[in-house]
Amino acid sequence: MPLDTPIMPPEWAKQDWLWIGFPHAADEWPDVLGRAQEQIAAFANAVAESGQAVRLLVRDAANEARARQLTSAAVTLERRAYGDVWLRDTGPLVLSDGNARVARRFQFNGWGGKYLMEGDQTIGAELAEDAGLPLEIADWILEGGAIDGDGTGLVVTTEQCLLNPNRNPQLSREAIEERLKRDLGFDRVLWLGEGLINDHTDGHVDNLARFVAPNTLCLPRATGSDDPNAAIYADAKGRAEAAGVTVAEIPSPGRVTSGDRIEPASYANFAITSHLVVVPTFDSPHDAEGVAAVAELFPDRATIGLPGDAVLAGGGGFHCASQQMPAAGWRP
């Protein structure tokens, strides 16, 4: 790949800071808003105290006061007009060519028209412009959690999401591949099939599969005979290995439910920061094993597990609620 071709750095590249969204809407977090705020604050505190700058977005004065009660002085609070907290999807995607950084934003339709909140269509451009990044806005719908790259031009996604008619019905698989290359610098696409059962996002890949090194993909393996996603994990592994991608398996949390509902719980929704990897846990008997398995993939960083069940009740995890600002100078 030519050095002057901008591409998204892998998440393990050095970061200048991490944006995180702080929950504020009670109707989006029924009965768990307080706990979701506590869990996001614990995530922000852990990253900030590891030595990386954290910019925690808060919605209004009351939201800011609550966030300040829960966070250390190392966390910077920024009052912003945003809807949901899922900055992985609504924040800017930052590319680098080794010399300069540029930002990309895409069209956003509330995850296929399901969840439309004021501010979600504009927060990505606002953050990019305030960071001083040149910004281009693409002409098609894409959320950041739907893709994951390894820094060499390889990107992984799911057919369930990117080929879903509720996103870009006018685009073929080939047209989407061309746009991933044109707008984000990815020249190879690993297509997985379905995402996790009951994932609000129509199968975002960051809840299923994550690159942890060039051409090395982390995937859950089924835990227990009643793991609801066993077939999905097996299919993803088969597709990755058929494409020549190395698979590093971690355990799944197993069957996690809320009442009769199967929750899309996943240790793969970890956030990689410059010094620390943060893994969501779900009060599953497999939590310790899951965190330990992720830690083995990042020997150069500390890895911790933090409760993420209340965050999951709102539709995502720590990775979904954050977006990194890559440091300048990374080269593909």
Side-chain angles (χ1 to χ4, degrees):
M1 178 178 298
L3 288 182
D4 59 354
T5 300
I7 186 174
M8 282 180 60
E11 198 169 328
W12 56 84
K14 185 179 179 182
Q15 302 169 13
D16 278 349
W17 65 77
L18 189 70
W19 287 291
I20 302 175
F22 188 67
H24 64 88
D27 57 344
E28 294 294 317
W29 309 82
D31 303 320
V32 296
L33 177 61
R35 286 204 304 119
Q37 291 174 334
E38 292 167 1
Q39 291 178 0
I40 286 291
F43 169 39
N45 286 338
V47 177
E49 290 162 9
S50 77
Q52 177 166 325
V54 171
R55 301 184 178 188
L56 182 65
L57 274 55
V58 294
R59 177 76 184 196
D60 53 30
N63 196 232
E64 182 175 356
R66 169 66 169 162
R68 184 45 73 201
Q69 288 178 335
L70 297 173
T71 56
S72 73
V75 176
T76 299
L77 304 186
E78 293 188 359
R79 200 181 299 184
R80 301 280 186 174
Y82 61 98
D84 224 330
V85 302
W86 313 124
L87 298 180
R88 184 64 46 182
D89 299 335
T90 59
L93 302 183
V94 182
L95 285 63
S96 173
D97 64 2
N99 297 306
R101 292 171 294 185
V102 297
R104 299 284 187 268
R105 275 304 306 141
F106 296 80
Q107 306 301 309
F108 180 75
N109 73 344
W111 300 278
K114 294 187 291 295
Y115 309 100
L116 294 168
M117 297 177 66
E118 183 180 356
D120 280 344
Q121 294 183 332
T122 55
I123 185 62
E126 180 182 335
L127 293 176
E129 290 166 357
D130 285 357
L133 298 173
L135 174 68
E136 292 186 10
I137 299 179
D139 59 356
W140 58 295
I141 293 168
L142 179 70
E143 303 102 34
I147 57 173
D148 196 78
D150 77 340
T152 73
L154 176 62
V155 65
V156 62
T157 189
T158 68
E159 294 171 343
Q160 181 188 358
C161 186
L162 257 62
L163 301 185
N164 198 306
N166 68 10
R167 301 300 206 277
N168 299 287
Q170 78 283 9
L171 297 181
S172 66
R173 178 192 301 252
E174 292 74 23
I176 288 173
E177 289 182 350
E178 179 55 38
R179 279 164 172 76
L180 287 169
K181 181 177 182 179
R182 179 194 71 186
D183 296 329
L184 295 172
F186 296 121
D187 54 17
R188 288 159 289 140
V189 181
L190 169 59
W191 289 96
L192 304 182
E194 298 288 308
L196 300 195
I197 292 171
N198 289 337
D199 188 331
H200 296 179
T201 65
D202 304 309
H204 271 190
V205 80
D206 68 345
N207 221 25
L208 169 65
R210 302 286 303 285
F211 281 115
V212 296
N215 203 55
T216 301
L217 190 69
C218 169
L219 281 169
R221 62 173 178 269
T223 304
S225 59
D226 62 346
D227 193 312
N229 293 293
I232 292 168
Y233 301 146
D235 180 68
K237 181 180 181 182
R239 291 177 185 234
E241 291 180 339
V245 173
T246 299
V247 172
E249 289 188 300
I250 61 173
S252 87
R255 189 179 188 88
V256 176
T257 59
S258 177
D260 294 332
R261 173 186 163 82
I262 296 170
E263 293 289 350
S266 177
Y267 304 129
N269 204 269
F270 51 77
I272 309 169
T273 67
S274 292
H275 311 294
L276 184 69
V277 179
V278 183
V279 185
T281 60
F282 309 100
D283 199 25
S284 161
H286 309 293
D287 284 349
E289 182 187 3
V291 174
V294 174
E296 290 183 8
L297 302 175
F298 297 97
D300 61 334
R301 288 168 167 83
T303 298
I304 62 170
L306 291 175
D309 59 307
V311 179
L312 179 62
F318 296 138
H319 189 256
C320 305
S322 60
Q323 182 61 258
Q324 71 273 5
M325 174 65 162
W330 178 84
R331 287 187 175 274

